[in-house]
Amino acid sequence: MTDLEKKTEAVREIAERLGFEACGFSRACRLEDEERRLEEWLNHGRHGTMSWMERHFDKRVDPTKLVPGAKSVVSVLCSYNQDFGKIHPEKKQHDRTDPKISKYALGEDYHQVLKEKLFSLFHFTEDLMGGLAGRVFVDSAPVLDKAWAVKSGLGWIGKNSNLLNKKLGSWFFIGEMILDARFEYDKQLADHCGSCTRCIDACPTDAIYEPYRVDGSKCISYFTIELRGEVPDEYQSQIGEWIFGCDICQDVCPWNRKARKGSEERLFAREDLIGHDLDFWEELDLDTYRQLFRKSAVKRAKFEGLKRNIEVASRNLRKQRD
């Protein structure tokens, strides 16, 4: 084993010790294919009102714009997959008569949890290499994290545009380090979606308008998280009981049926966030909101946005009961 291979495996081993379920390595380069797809996606307005996606275009497709002299991208996956029955046996998250929050937002804010782990991994790598320059990222900078995870051999892009991994399904967060050090790079994996179209068939808003293509401006997660103002009338009934995010295309994915459970308990559902009925959510006030979501990704929707979503879900659920 060469010295480069030893150092690569040392970083991978420490990543797993820190609680990352997978770690992969790819050469830092301009993402030419992704650049063309992103430009086309933006030109067609698939990003809706998310104007921030138009900014820093060069940085999104070229890691050397974020870290001068970048040679490698180290991608990691951290699962939030959990067994609700074992963690909170007295509570339910999937009762269709209650408002629902996407699984990823039921634990502590993943940005902070993953960044803490990534900084530890960065400092280990810095010592291992005898010094280096680089940055860590967790869904908070213009980085195409799924593209880098694919190039790092951590999975393939599914027809719902999520990253899929044979062992982990899609119930995980992605983080990366962009570094000016070289490593032994991993090979990309083949696509294992086959002829399956379950995610496409299940999407209530037809946001997955063709395999591997998602119109972000029609996604329930977009309506309940990113959109400011009123949800368009034609989509309100399709939102169903979702008040933050949406898991439908992941819930139906066969790769998620036997997905390995995660180990980072801070990402698991907090007891005070699940099992609440419609009455609880309808009565939500600002003080309770601040208390519930102090360390939560749900803050992204803001209080006004969450109340708007609750009103939509309430109308839908009450229609179901009538």
Side-chain angles (χ1 to χ4, degrees), residues 273-312:
L273 282 187
I274 60 175
H276 296 302
D277 60 18
L278 181 56
D279 290 340
F280 172 88
W281 290 113
E282 286 180 330
E283 294 170 7
L284 183 72
D285 58 29
L286 184 57
D287 287 339
T288 306
Y289 165 85
R290 287 172 173 165
Q291 180 183 345
L292 273 181
F293 302 116
R294 185 170 59 88
K295 292 184 177 181
S296 169
V298 176
K299 289 186 298 184
R300 174 78 176 177
K302 304 188 183 302
F303 177 67
E304 295 78 10
L306 190 62
K307 289 293 288 185
R308 174 204 61 191
N309 300 340
I310 293 168
E311 289 176 8
V312 173

Side-chain angles (χ1 to χ4, degrees), residues 5-15 25 121 124 128:
E5 289 173 330
K6 289 178 181 177
K7 288 180 176 178
T8 302
E9 290 312 306
V11 174
R12 203 189 310 269
E13 182 181 338
I14 293 298
F25 302 79
L121 184 61
F124 170 82
L128 180 71

Side-chain angles (χ1 to χ4, degrees), residues 106-319:
L106 290 170
E108 286 188 32
D109 190 337
Y110 66 95
H111 297 90
Q112 299 306 316
V113 175
L114 264 69
K115 272 195 174 179
E116 177 187 306
K117 293 175 180 290
L118 271 172
F119 278 121
S120 295
L121 184 61
F122 178 87
H123 293 315
F124 170 82
T125 309
E126 186 178 32
D127 291 342
L128 180 71
M129 295 296 184
L132 52 75
R135 295 174 63 185
V136 305
F137 302 93
V138 181
D139 193 26
S140 58
V143 178
L144 298 179
D145 52 3
K146 290 184 288 186
W148 289 115
V150 168
K151 289 185 177 298
S152 299
L154 297 184
W156 69 97
I157 299 298
K159 291 177 182 176
N160 60 0
S161 84
N162 284 331
L163 181 73
L164 291 173
N165 177 284
K166 278 190 173 183
K167 294 180 179 178
L168 303 172
S170 61
W171 304 119
F172 50 75
F173 299 113
I174 307 172
E176 52 276 323
M177 302 189 295
I178 299 179
L179 308 172
D180 69 346
R182 296 186 188 280
F183 295 93
E184 192 72 23
Y185 301 129
D186 294 299
K187 294 180 180 179
Q188 289 189 212
L189 302 178
D191 183 321
H192 293 282
C193 283
S195 60
C196 179
T197 60
R198 293 186 187 186
C199 59
I200 300 173
D201 300 336
C203 180
T205 61
D206 294 324
I208 312 172
Y209 60 95
E210 62 182 59
Y212 310 102
R213 300 292 183 111
V214 173
D215 187 334
S217 69
K218 294 182 179 179
C219 180
I220 291 175
S221 288
Y222 166 74
F223 291 133
T224 58
I225 301 174
E226 301 293 345
L227 181 66
R228 302 293 178 250
E230 293 303 310
V231 176
D233 291 341
E234 63 267 31
Y235 292 109
Q236 291 198 14
S237 62
Q238 286 103 315
I239 285 176
E241 63 273 20
W242 293 100
I243 60 173
F244 184 90
C246 177
D247 290 332
I248 293 173
C249 68
Q250 296 188 84
D251 282 333
V252 301
C253 178
W255 288 105
N256 279 326
R257 284 181 190 162
K258 297 182 179 180
R260 178 175 145 195
K261 300 297 185 288
S263 60
E264 177 48 78
E265 294 186 0
R266 287 177 292 174
L267 299 176
F268 292 172
R270 286 167 30 203
E271 190 169 356
D272 58 351
L273 282 187
I274 60 175
H276 296 302
D277 60 18
L278 181 56
D279 290 340
F280 172 88
W281 290 113
E282 286 180 330
E283 294 170 7
L284 183 72
D285 58 29
L286 184 57
D287 287 339
T288 306
Y289 165 85
R290 287 172 173 165
Q291 180 183 345
L292 273 181
F293 302 116
R294 185 170 59 88
K295 292 184 177 181
S296 169
V298 176
K299 289 186 298 184
R300 174 78 176 177
K302 304 188 183 302
F303 177 67
E304 295 78 10
L306 190 62
K307 289 293 288 185
R308 174 204 61 191
N309 300 340
I310 293 168
E311 289 176 8
V312 173
S314 175
R315 287 195 293 271
N316 292 334
L317 287 167
R318 294 194 182 283
K319 283 180 182 177

